[in-house]
Amino acid sequence: MPTKTRERSLYAPGSLVKARKDIYSIDPDGRVNVGTIGTILSGPKPGYPHHCWVHFVARDDPWWVNFAAIEPHY
């Protein structure tokens, strides 16, 4: 019997994620600690197929991060 289900990527815009490990930027003070929760704002862009734009709760500005550095937050 058919059911009404929807499939959706765990890494779609609006999804909650958390940092799988400490994420560093070039800025010496720039760091997202492991376990920090964030929301994906947009997905991959041309030239960066393995990155997404994430706004972490501990940061003022969104970051481009590699999918390997984040995991779904349930």
Side-chain angles (χ1 to χ4, degrees):
M1 168 180 267
T3 60
K4 292 184 179 183
T5 60
R6 265 190 193 175
E7 286 189 29
R8 173 178 116 116
S9 171
L10 294 174
Y11 295 108
S15 296
L16 287 176
V17 293
K18 65 181 176 181
R20 183 177 296 190
K21 56 185 179 181
D22 288 340
I23 305 170
Y24 297 90
S25 75
I26 341 175
D27 177 7
D29 298 324
R31 182 174 94 174
V32 173
N33 293 323
V34 63
T36 302
I37 307 298
T39 304
I40 294 179
L41 300 178
S42 69
K45 299 286 182 196
Y48 297 95
H50 304 289
H51 291 75
C52 62
W53 206 28
V54 179
H55 185 254
F56 290 100
V57 295
R59 304 293 306 173
D60 292 331
D61 52 341
W63 283 31
W64 281 104
V65 296
N66 190 301
F67 286 117
I70 57 174
E71 61 188 17
H73 176 67
Y74 300 105

